[in-house]
Amino acid sequence: MVYHGVPSAGCFLCRKRKIKCDEAKPFCTRCQKSKRVCPGYPAPPDARSMPRLQDPKAYATDTELSSSCVAQKIGGAGARVQCWLVDAANCRSQVSPLGATLRQSTIDAARCHFLSNFVLISPSGTNRGLFEFTISLLKTEPCGEAYSMAFKACSLASLAYCQGLDTVLEQQALLYYDRALKATYHALTNTNAAVSDGVLGAILLLAMFELKSGSNEYALGWGSHIVGSSTLMKNRGQEQLATGVGTSIFVAVRAQLILLAMITGRVAPLGPDWFGEGTYRDKHAAVCLQLTARTTELREKLNNYLYYQEQSGIMNTSELSQLSRDCRAADFGFVLWSQAAPEYFHYTMATWINDEPDNLQNAEALPGSVHIYGSPWLACLWNMVRCSRLELAGLILRCAALMGGPNDYRTLPEYEPLTRTCIGVVSKIVASIPYQLGWFEKHNHLLVARPQFACGENSTKSELAAAIAIWPLARVQEYDSSTEAQRVWAQGRLEYIGARRGIRAATLQARVIHPTLGCVIVCSLN
């Protein structure tokens, strides 16, 4: 028998870094001193020497997530994901019998994959994270069947749709999704349970499941879940902001309501209470959301005007003129917001690409600048600003065309300056996409900082970043200020997100759309 030596008992991160670990429990002191999250220690030698099941589909033991590090080979590329819960020592954990702990269950691997792809941790003292409430709810006492089932559904869907499609895991995810829907419906019949953190967290996770699944039915379901969550938020009152998890859920609902309004063409149902004191820790981000919500209100005003004109046959040019001025004022507000951005909001040009790609649809980046951001959260906010400015440019042009403009909207005096603005905005959206789709993983020397996720190795190549890139990419397809190359490239990126990054709702957007500005002007004149 060949002797292979004594296996190292050091933590996973020290072993990876090839440095001596002090083996302090529960977490390595070396990791803490270097401001790294210690992933924990391997199993004892006698346990590691026992045979394991290598295929996660060969079993589906539904054990609770333990605080030890777990690893799983995922997808055809075999990307290794090492995961751990933040502050695992304080995390609620129910360890299953010894025989089950010697192997990693599918649900454990799925949970780790979800936490390392969707749960973005805020820097200390801020709420610049996304889906952070999942960590808090996992640590608390039982938060209800609805949340438990919804979390398992999203976790399994996250694992099932990465690097292709695993139909076995997909069916398991759908079963948990159905159970989560039933549990949520049952909880909503109880007044106290309906406004609990667990039920609201479950609804937000169910909305994410819709985006992951990506069928027409599920895409519509995302909006239904978000609207439903806003109704529950109003019933909770200001008390919901007294806790960290309550604030995290509030911020998530508010941002998705505004995004839903921009996508559907409706006004965001947000009153002054949604932006008052205590509803944010970052005022600059709150102002951005307010301006974006204002954009949806202006679009609603123009739609109401068009409906009134159609019914009455009366043209009110003074109202249109005022609406046009309001749109310009809102656009100027975004310009001032950009100029006043604090240092941590800034993005920079990481590099400039000169070479034309051989295949536009498969290209990771287009010729031109490539931006780098501090986190996917910042990239999302900047693209909300850019998409809002494109929307406002379309509204201004529509007002000009309705006020007795020529038949060809391109001859309007407003068209040329608005087009120049839109060309610049679209170029910045295009420059942001490589960061959101993990381009910098192949160009590590350009990275200044990495986003911190609840698990894993803090990669810039996350499903969360890919999901929030769908909307700006769809906008690049729609506007006639986009070049044909940009539209083809945006379509290819959407197909990539749907097929390779597991966000199947992107596939619904991956189609050639008539340019928005021209389309709406022609419709208005008719």
Side-chain angles (χ1 to χ4, degrees):
M1 179 176 179
V2 179
Y3 177 66
H4 295 284
V6 179
S8 171
C11 76
F12 285 99
L13 189 56
C14 285
R15 294 171 67 184
K16 180 178 179 181
R17 296 173 65 200
K18 294 181 173 58
I19 62 175
K20 183 173 177 57
C21 178
D22 62 8
E23 301 180 23
K25 303 294 191 299
F27 300 114
C28 165
T29 307
R30 282 185 177 271
C31 290
Q32 296 181 35
K33 287 182 177 179
S34 61
K35 297 182 179 180
R36 292 180 169 88
V37 180
C38 180
Y41 298 88
D46 58 339
R48 290 203 313 272
S49 63
M50 297 181 67
R52 303 187 195 183
L53 292 175
Q54 298 297 326
D55 184 5
K57 293 183 290 184
Y59 53 90
T61 305
D62 192 8
T63 58
E64 294 295 328
L65 180 63
S66 66
S67 60
S68 61
C69 178
V70 292
Q72 177 63 47
K73 296 281 185 177
I74 297 174
R80 190 167 189 266
V81 180
Q82 291 187 339
C83 309
W84 56 92
L85 281 181
V86 175
D87 195 15
N90 298 323
C91 179
R92 169 178 168 268
S93 173
Q94 297 179 356
V95 181
S96 53
L98 178 61
T101 60
L102 298 180
R103 62 187 187 187
Q104 177 190 335
S105 71
T106 305
I107 194 70
D108 285 346
R111 286 170 174 171
C112 290
H113 188 263
F114 180 80
L115 291 171
S116 64
N117 275 274
F118 283 99
V119 184
L120 182 67
I121 304 300
S122 297
S124 178
T126 74
N127 56 1
R128 301 200 298 271
L130 295 167
F131 288 97
E132 282 184 293
F133 62 86
T134 59
I135 294 295
S136 300
L137 290 176
L138 285 173
K139 291 180 182 180
T140 60
E141 291 302 314
C143 48
E145 183 184 8
Y147 181 81
S148 177
M149 295 298 104
F151 186 80
K152 289 173 182 176
C154 281
S155 298
L156 286 168
S158 179
L159 189 59
Y161 300 138
C162 75
Q163 300 294 333
L165 173 62
D166 187 315
T167 55
V168 175
L169 292 182
E170 181 187 40
Q171 290 303 314
Q172 292 182 1
L174 287 171
L175 289 174
Y176 278 118
Y177 175 79
D178 290 338
R179 291 172 64 182
L181 284 178
K182 293 176 183 177
T184 302
Y185 178 79
H186 178 72
L188 292 177
T189 61
N190 184 310
T191 305
N192 293 328
V195 294
S196 67
D197 291 337
V199 170
L200 266 168
I203 293 174
L204 289 175
L205 289 178
L206 290 173
M208 176 56 68
F209 185 90
E210 312 286 8
L211 293 180
K212 291 286 296 178
S213 300
S215 69
N216 287 318
E217 177 184 353
Y218 289 146
L220 294 174
W222 170 71
S224 299
H225 287 309
I226 298 304
V227 171
S229 65
S230 68
T231 303
L232 295 178
M233 294 291 286
K234 294 175 183 177
N235 296 334
R236 279 159 62 99
Q238 291 297 312
E239 294 81 6
Q240 65 186 305
L241 300 173
T243 64
V245 65
T247 302
S248 178
I249 292 175
F250 176 88
V251 169
V253 172
R254 181 176 60 185
Q256 292 195 64
L257 276 173
I258 295 174
L259 180 59
L260 177 64
M262 292 295 291
I263 292 174
T264 60
R266 299 175 182 174
V267 65
L270 305 176
D273 293 343
W274 287 79
F275 296 99
E277 290 294 331
T279 62
Y280 58 86
R281 295 195 186 112
D282 193 309
K283 187 174 182 179
H284 201 68
V287 171
C288 171
L289 294 175
Q290 273 187 297
L291 289 170
T292 306
R294 173 61 174 162
T295 301
T296 68
E297 295 172 2
L298 292 171
R299 181 174 55 189
E300 182 78 0
K301 282 187 176 181
L302 180 56
N303 291 338
N304 290 338
Y305 171 84
L306 292 173
Y307 177 78
Y308 172 77
Q309 182 196 27
E310 182 181 358
Q311 298 298 315
S312 64
I314 300 174
M315 170 75 72
N316 190 335
T317 55
S318 61
E319 185 176 348
L320 280 174
S321 179
Q322 181 60 49
L323 182 57
S324 179
R325 288 193 293 271
D326 291 342
C327 290
R328 292 182 183 276
D331 184 66
F332 187 61
F334 281 116
V335 174
L336 293 179
W337 180 90
S338 302
Q339 294 173 349
E343 185 176 355
Y344 62 84
F345 260 76
H346 292 176
Y347 62 90
T348 59
M349 185 183 76
T351 187
W352 183 276
I353 296 178
N354 293 311
D355 298 333
E356 292 285 343
D358 295 331
N359 188 321
L360 281 174
Q361 284 200 321
N362 295 331
E364 293 182 327
L366 285 180
S369 62
V370 175
H371 291 169
I372 189 169
Y373 297 81
S375 73
W377 180 85
L378 289 171
C380 179
L381 275 184
W382 278 105
N383 279 334
M384 287 184 78
V385 171
R386 292 159 185 158
C387 292
S388 297
R389 295 196 67 192
L390 291 176
E391 183 74 33
L392 290 168
L395 294 176
I396 294 170
L397 201 56
R398 289 174 71 183
C399 289
L402 289 166
M403 288 188 295
N407 291 331
D408 186 356
Y409 70 96
R410 292 180 177 83
T411 62
L412 290 168
E414 293 86 354
Y415 179 76
E416 186 175 346
L418 286 174
T419 299
R420 285 198 301 269
T421 298
C422 290
I423 288 174
V425 170
V426 169
S427 297
K428 290 178 180 178
I429 293 176
V430 169
S432 73
I433 300 302
Y435 172 81
Q436 293 174 271
L437 298 187
W439 182 84
F440 284 91
E441 291 302 304
K442 298 179 181 179
H443 305 82
N444 280 316
H445 62 287
L446 298 174
L447 275 175
V448 178
R450 288 179 175 271
Q452 183 181 356
F453 286 87
C455 291
E457 298 178 350
N458 296 329
S459 170
T460 62
K461 192 175 182 179
S462 66
E463 292 180 20
L464 174 65
I468 59 182
I470 295 175
W471 180 43
L473 280 170
R475 288 294 180 264
V476 170
Q477 285 190 117
E478 293 176 353
Y479 283 83
D480 64 353
S481 51
S482 303
T483 65
E484 185 61 28
Q486 288 172 335
R487 292 195 193 99
V488 173
W489 180 77
Q491 183 184 28
R493 292 293 82 195
L494 287 169
E495 291 174 347
Y496 166 80
I497 293 172
R500 300 295 302 279
R501 304 306 298 277
I503 314 296
R504 297 170 72 188
T507 306
L508 301 176
Q509 298 292 336
R511 60 185 185 275
V512 178
I513 303 175
H514 294 294
T516 293
L517 291 183
C519 182
V520 296
I521 296 300
V522 171
C523 293
S524 300
L525 293 176
N526 291 338

